[in-house]
Amino acid sequence: MDRHKESILVCVHYGPHGQRLIQRGSQLAKLIGAPLRVLTVAPARREEYNLEKERYVAGWRKQTEEAGGEFLVRKCSGNKAADVIAETAREFDVTQIVIGRASQSFWHEITHGDFVDDLLNRIGAIDLHIVAVQRYPEMLEETHEKGFTALLVPRGGRYVLASQKEHDGGRSGGKPAIEGIFFRELDTDFDSGLFKVVKDGQAEYLKIVQGEWVKK
C-alpha cells in the first residue's frame, strides 16, 4: 500500500454522538479522496451489550456503508480501548483518526487518566481530530432519576407512558408502542421527564409531562 495515501478512521462509542462523528469523517474522506473506516470497540464479554447498544451499532453500520466506508467491530479482550484503536490504525495504514470528546472533570482525569493522552502516546505521527460533543446522559443524571425501560403506548390519538407489564405487547391492532428509556425528573411525584429512543443509531429525547408525550 502507498504509505503516503490518506486513510481515515472514525472511532464511535455507545451514545448519541456516533452519527455526527461518522458524518464528519465521511466529509473529510470525500474531501481528500481517502478510504473511510468506522471503528467501535466492543466489551470483551457479550453480556455487557444490550438491545439499545445493538441499535446504535446497526445504525452506524448502515450510515458507514451508505457513505462508502467499512464498519469494524473489535473487542477489547483485556486491552485498553486506546490500544485497540492504535492496532487497528496500524493494520489499515490510517493517517487520520476522528474521535469525539466531552469535557472531563478534573477528578475524573486524576482517577481514570486522559483517554486522548493515552491514544496520542500510541498512534505516533497519525493526525488526531477531536470533535466536541455534549454529554447529554451525564446532564440527565444531574436533573433526572436513573433511567428505566418503558413504553409509549398509543391511546386515543395520544402516546402515554407505560411499563411492559401494563401493555398488551402492541397486539391491539393500532399503532405499535414505542420502546425506550424513561428518565423521570428529580423531586417530582409525576411521570414527567425525558423518554430516550434510538433510531438508526441516533438518540432522540421526547418530552414527557405527567405520563404523556408532549410533541413539539
Side-chain angles (χ1 to χ4, degrees), residues 12 16-24 60 63 200-202:
V12 292
H17 312 294
Q19 185 179 56
R20 180 183 175 191
L21 295 176
I22 296 172
Q23 288 174 341
R24 181 68 63 87
W60 295 336
Q63 183 183 1
D200 294 331
Q202 183 178 17

Side-chain angles (χ1 to χ4, degrees), residues 3-19:
R3 300 291 298 183
H4 299 289
K5 183 177 177 59
E6 296 290 336
S7 178
I8 308 298
L9 179 67
V10 179
C11 302
V12 292
H13 181 61
Y14 167 59
H17 312 294
Q19 185 179 56

Side-chain angles (χ1 to χ4, degrees), residues 83-175:
D83 290 323
V84 179
I85 293 171
E87 290 171 2
T88 304
R90 287 191 291 269
E91 177 183 349
F92 293 100
D93 289 327
V94 168
T95 60
Q96 301 191 47
I97 296 176
V98 179
I99 66 171
R101 187 194 187 194
S103 59
Q104 290 179 304
S105 68
F106 178 68
W107 176 250
H108 185 277
E109 294 204 12
I110 289 176
T111 56
H112 296 86
D114 188 282
F115 171 77
V116 174
D117 287 342
D118 283 347
L119 186 57
L120 285 171
N121 289 335
R122 289 163 171 77
I123 62 176
I126 298 175
D127 293 336
L128 182 63
H129 302 265
I130 303 173
V131 179
V133 297
Q134 181 186 30
R135 297 189 77 130
Y136 206 161
E138 290 194 2
M139 293 172 61
L140 283 177
E141 291 178 3
E142 298 176 1
T143 57
H144 294 70
E145 297 177 5
K146 183 178 180 180
F148 59 88
T149 301
L151 299 169
L152 286 177
V153 180
R155 289 180 186 168
R158 304 173 298 136
Y159 277 89
V160 297
L161 191 69
S163 68
Q164 187 70 53
K165 292 182 180 179
E166 295 170 328
H167 185 48
D168 63 2
R171 294 184 293 272
S172 59
K175 295 181 180 179

